[in-house]
Amino acid sequence: MPFLLLDRLVQFFYNMDYDEVIPLGADVSVLQLHAGMFALADKYEILDLLSVAANKYSARCLTSWEPSEFLSSIPDVYDGTPPSISLYYRDAATAPPSMGIVRRNRAAPRQ
């Protein structure tokens, strides 16, 4: 994953955004990519990237909810950055599951 993160970091420097497409054969999910980008932004103090990565993480959870992808990203969210800097990011990581449950319950009401 380090090469993938470096590639996305260069993209970010040129475009102020990075691509979410994961290459074939890569053993990483899109949410893990966002978590890794957030950790990289924290390490090198790239404030704009912190915001972009956190927003992309949250948006991915809300638009493409995959529980297994979400669960595999949690260690990256909690272990990749110190608690003091990643409070907002951790909040983003813990909010989507309840939102996903509410959305599913509204879409398929119980009878």
Side-chain angles (χ1 to χ4, degrees):
M1 185 156 104
F3 177 76
L4 180 62
L5 293 177
L6 181 59
D7 179 65
R8 296 315 190 266
L9 181 62
V10 171
Q11 282 183 11
F12 180 80
F13 286 144
Y14 278 101
N15 304 317
M16 296 304 288
D17 198 5
Y18 61 89
D19 191 6
E20 295 181 334
V21 176
I22 303 296
L24 291 175
D27 190 25
V28 62
S29 71
V30 174
L31 288 179
Q32 287 174 310
L33 169 67
H34 297 320
M37 291 301 290
F38 187 89
L40 198 61
D42 175 51
K43 180 177 182 177
Y44 295 109
E45 299 180 4
I46 308 168
L47 300 180
D48 289 338
L49 182 54
L50 282 170
S51 177
V52 168
N55 289 335
K56 283 184 175 249
Y57 186 97
S58 294
R60 173 76 177 184
C61 288
L62 293 172
T63 60
S64 301
W65 179 247
E66 290 291 332
S68 61
E69 180 185 15
F70 173 74
L71 291 174
S72 70
S73 74
I74 294 298
D76 298 321
V77 170
Y78 279 84
D79 297 337
T81 57
S84 59
I85 191 71
S86 61
L87 185 59
Y88 169 77
Y89 195 55
R90 290 178 180 187
D91 288 346
T94 56
S98 61
M99 291 178 185
I101 291 168
V102 169
R103 189 170 1 129
R104 274 183 272 155
N105 285 344
R106 287 184 184 158
R110 293 183 182 174
Q111 295 182 1

